Amino acid sequence: MVSAPSSDGLIYVPPGVTRSAKIVISGSFAVGKTTFVGSVSQIPPLRMEERITQASAGVDDLARTPRKTTTTVGMDFGRLHLSDALVLYLFGTPGQGRFRPMWAGLTEGALGALVLVDTRNLEASFEILALHEEQGTPYAVAVNLFDGAPRYDLDEIRQALDLDPHTPLTTCDARDGTSSVLALITLCEYLSDLNAPALEPRP
């Protein structure tokens, strides 16, 4: 399903949509959140990025991403119609720990979160996972399959992240829209199993 274009060039939510849900896309620095939102959004995504400058030296770890030249300093925003009745509003968080107050603000009111992780730096995800636990935000975890990154069995990753058995764990390639949408579907199925009324269309 696609958004409905109007005569003035704007893209509106079709009238058949009866439910909407706020979903947070979170994860550590340089894990692929901006790319993920951009690959699934059916509207031009909103991006609040700035160039990485010398001022971030010693603050932002670029060892694993030496070619990264920009970083999110506010949020990413996109919209995805997951079905004829359901639209997801996607909010991508900045990755650096110094933006923790913004993480909490963006997560407030969210139906759930998809946490992206990178097998090259799994420990960087601990703070984000802890925040969702503290706030009681249901979440799923998706391993973003970077080129050249080590591959591990999902059971090993679950153990390394100390995830509860019921927490969904899947993989995706944030550059690929289909793969990323499947990760969102995994999250939404989990939220539906938790009896989230916002995912159920009105009769």
Side-chain angles (χ1 to χ4, degrees):
M1 180 179 177
V2 297
S3 303
S6 68
S7 58
D8 56 12
L10 298 176
I11 302 176
Y12 297 103
V13 175
V17 170
T18 58
R19 282 289 185 268
S20 64
K22 176 182 179 181
I23 299 295
V24 170
I25 309 300
S26 61
S28 59
F29 177 66
V31 80
K33 301 177 296 295
T34 296
T35 300
F36 184 98
V37 172
S39 72
V40 301
S41 179
Q42 294 171 326
I43 60 172
L46 169 67
R47 291 173 174 163
M48 298 182 183
E49 290 187 301
E50 293 291 342
R51 291 191 61 80
I52 296 174
T53 66
Q54 188 60 34
S56 71
V59 178
D60 298 329
D61 183 6
L62 297 176
R64 296 176 178 84
T65 54
R67 297 181 181 177
K68 186 173 177 61
T69 59
T70 62
T71 184
T72 299
V73 296
M75 68 174 187
D76 300 308
F77 175 77
R79 191 177 77 205
L80 170 66
H81 300 161
L82 202 57
S83 71
D84 289 341
L86 173 64
V87 61
L88 302 182
Y89 293 100
L90 307 173
F91 291 79
T93 66
Q96 301 92 320
R98 63 182 181 273
F99 291 112
R100 185 181 175 98
M102 188 174 292
W103 298 348
L106 287 173
T107 305
E108 186 174 348
L111 190 65
L114 183 67
V115 182
L116 299 183
V117 301
D118 180 354
T119 58
R120 298 170 297 181
N121 192 16
L122 287 176
E123 62 273 16
S125 304
F126 293 162
E127 188 175 6
I128 289 94
L129 293 172
L131 175 71
H132 290 314
E133 294 284 353
E134 292 168 10
Q135 293 193 306
T137 305
Y139 64 86
V141 176
V143 180
N144 190 10
L145 301 174
F146 285 92
D147 293 337
R151 301 289 195 262
Y152 300 105
D153 185 87
L154 288 182
D155 287 338
E156 293 181 84
I157 295 175
R158 180 180 295 278
Q159 183 175 3
L161 294 175
D162 194 25
L163 299 179
D164 287 340
H166 69 272
T167 300
L169 176 62
T170 187
T171 62
C172 72
D173 182 337
R175 300 166 297 184
D176 178 70
T178 300
S179 169
S180 298
V181 168
L182 289 175
L184 284 170
I185 289 173
T186 297
L187 169 64
C188 288
E189 288 176 342
Y190 173 57
L191 296 175
S192 181
D193 289 342
L194 293 177
N195 298 314
L199 291 180
E200 300 173 2
R202 294 190 183 99

